[in-house]
PDB file of all heavy atoms in Angstrom:
ATOM      1  N   GLN A 133      74.480 105.291 131.506  1.00 94.00           N
ATOM      2  CA  GLN A 133      73.778 105.002 130.259  1.00 94.00           C
ATOM      3  C   GLN A 133      74.648 105.305 129.047  1.00 94.00           C
ATOM      4  O   GLN A 133      74.672 104.536 128.079  1.00 94.00           O
ATOM      5  CB  GLN A 133      72.478 105.817 130.197  1.00 94.00           C
ATOM      6  CG  GLN A 133      71.411 105.417 131.195  1.00 94.00           C
ATOM      7  CD  GLN A 133      70.741 104.089 130.815  1.00 94.00           C
ATOM      8  OE1 GLN A 133      71.051 103.500 129.810  1.00 94.00           O
ATOM      9  NE2 GLN A 133      69.853 103.635 131.665  1.00 94.00           N
ATOM     10  N   THR A 134      75.399 106.393 129.107  1.00 94.00           N
ATOM     11  CA  THR A 134      76.265 106.741 127.975  1.00 94.00           C
ATOM     12  C   THR A 134      77.388 105.699 127.788  1.00 94.00           C
ATOM     13  O   THR A 134      77.696 105.303 126.660  1.00 94.00           O
ATOM     14  CB  THR A 134      76.886 108.121 128.201  1.00 94.00           C
ATOM     15  OG1 THR A 134      75.832 109.094 128.388  1.00 94.00           O
ATOM     16  CG2 THR A 134      77.745 108.541 127.020  1.00 94.00           C
ATOM     17  N   VAL A 135      77.985 105.283 128.881  1.00 95.00           N
ATOM     18  CA  VAL A 135      79.045 104.274 128.781  1.00 95.00           C
ATOM     19  C   VAL A 135      78.505 102.966 128.236  1.00 95.00           C
ATOM     20  O   VAL A 135      79.144 102.310 127.377  1.00 95.00           O
ATOM     21  CB  VAL A 135      79.700 104.062 130.162  1.00 95.00           C
ATOM     22  CG1 VAL A 135      80.672 102.899 130.134  1.00 95.00           C
ATOM     23  CG2 VAL A 135      80.425 105.331 130.606  1.00 95.00           C
ATOM     24  N   ARG A 136      77.314 102.584 128.665  1.00 95.00           N
ATOM     25  CA  ARG A 136      76.724 101.355 128.128  1.00 95.00           C
ATOM     26  C   ARG A 136      76.410 101.492 126.643  1.00 95.00           C
ATOM     27  O   ARG A 136      76.551 100.523 125.884  1.00 95.00           O
ATOM     28  CB  ARG A 136      75.469 101.004 128.927  1.00 95.00           C
ATOM     29  CG  ARG A 136      75.750 100.470 130.325  1.00 95.00           C
ATOM     30  CD  ARG A 136      74.488 100.053 131.036  1.00 95.00           C
ATOM     31  NE  ARG A 136      74.789  99.360 132.289  1.00 95.00           N
ATOM     32  CZ  ARG A 136      73.850  98.906 133.124  1.00 95.00           C
ATOM     33  NH1 ARG A 136      72.563  99.040 132.819  1.00 95.00           N
ATOM     34  NH2 ARG A 136      74.202  98.286 134.250  1.00 95.00           N
ATOM     35  N   ASP A 137      75.945 102.663 126.223  1.00 95.00           N
ATOM     36  CA  ASP A 137      75.710 102.873 124.794  1.00 95.00           C
ATOM     37  C   ASP A 137      77.010 102.751 124.005  1.00 95.00           C
ATOM     38  O   ASP A 137      77.011 102.176 122.898  1.00 95.00           O
ATOM     39  CB  ASP A 137      75.086 104.248 124.572  1.00 95.00           C
ATOM     40  CG  ASP A 137      73.664 104.336 125.141  1.00 95.00           C
ATOM     41  OD1 ASP A 137      73.048 103.265 125.364  1.00 95.00           O
ATOM     42  OD2 ASP A 137      73.187 105.464 125.370  1.00 95.00           O
ATOM     43  N   ARG A 138      78.105 103.254 124.535  1.00 95.00           N
ATOM     44  CA  ARG A 138      79.375 103.145 123.839  1.00 95.00           C
ATOM     45  C   ARG A 138      79.841 101.678 123.780  1.00 95.00           C
ATOM     46  O   ARG A 138      80.398 101.249 122.753  1.00 95.00           O
ATOM     47  CB  ARG A 138      80.444 104.013 124.524  1.00 95.00           C
ATOM     48  CG  ARG A 138      80.231 105.488 124.319  1.00 95.00           C
ATOM     49  CD  ARG A 138      81.454 106.285 124.749  1.00 95.00           C
ATOM     50  NE  ARG A 138      81.278 107.718 124.528  1.00 95.00           N
ATOM     51  CZ  ARG A 138      82.210 108.633 124.732  1.00 95.00           C
ATOM     52  NH1 ARG A 138      83.399 108.264 125.192  1.00 95.00           N
ATOM     53  NH2 ARG A 138      81.969 109.901 124.497  1.00 95.00           N
ATOM     54  N   ASP A 139      79.628 100.956 124.853  1.00 95.00           N
ATOM     55  CA  ASP A 139      79.978  99.529 124.841  1.00 95.00           C
ATOM     56  C   ASP A 139      79.203  98.796 123.735  1.00 95.00           C
ATOM     57  O   ASP A 139      79.759  97.941 123.017  1.00 95.00           O
ATOM     58  CB  ASP A 139      79.687  98.876 126.184  1.00 95.00           C
ATOM     59  CG  ASP A 139      80.636  99.377 127.286  1.00 95.00           C
ATOM     60  OD1 ASP A 139      81.716  99.889 126.923  1.00 95.00           O
ATOM     61  OD2 ASP A 139      80.293  99.251 128.481  1.00 95.00           O
ATOM     62  N   SER A 140      77.917  99.113 123.594  1.00 95.00           N
ATOM     63  CA  SER A 140      77.113  98.460 122.576  1.00 95.00           C
ATOM     64  C   SER A 140      77.589  98.859 121.180  1.00 95.00           C
ATOM     65  O   SER A 140      77.687  98.011 120.281  1.00 95.00           O
ATOM     66  CB  SER A 140      75.644  98.855 122.771  1.00 95.00           C
ATOM     67  OG  SER A 140      74.830  98.294 121.764  1.00 95.00           O
ATOM     68  N   GLN A 141      77.888 100.124 120.965  1.00 96.00           N
ATOM     69  CA  GLN A 141      78.402 100.571 119.665  1.00 96.00           C
ATOM     70  C   GLN A 141      79.739  99.899 119.347  1.00 96.00           C
ATOM     71  O   GLN A 141      80.019  99.550 118.190  1.00 96.00           O
ATOM     72  CB  GLN A 141      78.548 102.074 119.647  1.00 96.00           C
ATOM     73  CG  GLN A 141      77.249 102.853 119.780  1.00 96.00           C
ATOM     74  CD  GLN A 141      77.448 104.345 119.894  1.00 96.00           C
ATOM     75  OE1 GLN A 141      78.539 104.869 119.610  1.00 96.00           O
ATOM     76  NE2 GLN A 141      76.435 105.067 120.318  1.00 96.00           N
ATOM     77  N   TRP A 142      80.557  99.729 120.360  1.00 96.00           N
ATOM     78  CA  TRP A 142      81.875  99.095 120.166  1.00 96.00           C
ATOM     79  C   TRP A 142      81.722  97.635 119.728  1.00 96.00           C
ATOM     80  O   TRP A 142      82.393  97.170 118.813  1.00 96.00           O
ATOM     81  CB  TRP A 142      82.652  99.195 121.459  1.00 96.00           C
ATOM     82  CG  TRP A 142      84.100  98.825 121.361  1.00 96.00           C
ATOM     83  CD1 TRP A 142      84.718  97.740 121.904  1.00 96.00           C
ATOM     84  CD2 TRP A 142      85.127  99.544 120.681  1.00 96.00           C
ATOM     85  NE1 TRP A 142      86.052  97.730 121.624  1.00 96.00           N
ATOM     86  CE2 TRP A 142      86.343  98.842 120.856  1.00 96.00           C
ATOM     87  CE3 TRP A 142      85.164 100.719 119.934  1.00 96.00           C
ATOM     88  CZ2 TRP A 142      87.550  99.263 120.327  1.00 96.00           C
ATOM     89  CZ3 TRP A 142      86.358 101.142 119.396  1.00 96.00           C
ATOM     90  CH2 TRP A 142      87.541 100.424 119.596  1.00 96.00           C
ATOM     91  N   LEU A 143      80.805  96.904 120.373  1.00 95.00           N
ATOM     92  CA  LEU A 143      80.551  95.517 119.988  1.00 95.00           C
ATOM     93  C   LEU A 143      80.013  95.438 118.561  1.00 95.00           C
ATOM     94  O   LEU A 143      80.431  94.575 117.773  1.00 95.00           O
ATOM     95  CB  LEU A 143      79.569  94.880 120.963  1.00 95.00           C
ATOM     96  CG  LEU A 143      80.104  94.501 122.347  1.00 95.00           C
ATOM     97  CD1 LEU A 143      78.955  94.009 123.227  1.00 95.00           C
ATOM     98  CD2 LEU A 143      81.175  93.415 122.225  1.00 95.00           C
TER      99      LEU A 143
END
Side-chain angles (χ1 to χ4, degrees):
Q133 292 286 358
T134 303
V135 172
R136 287 184 172 179
D137 292 341
R138 289 192 178 185
D139 291 340
S140 178
Q141 295 175 15
W142 191 248
L143 285 174

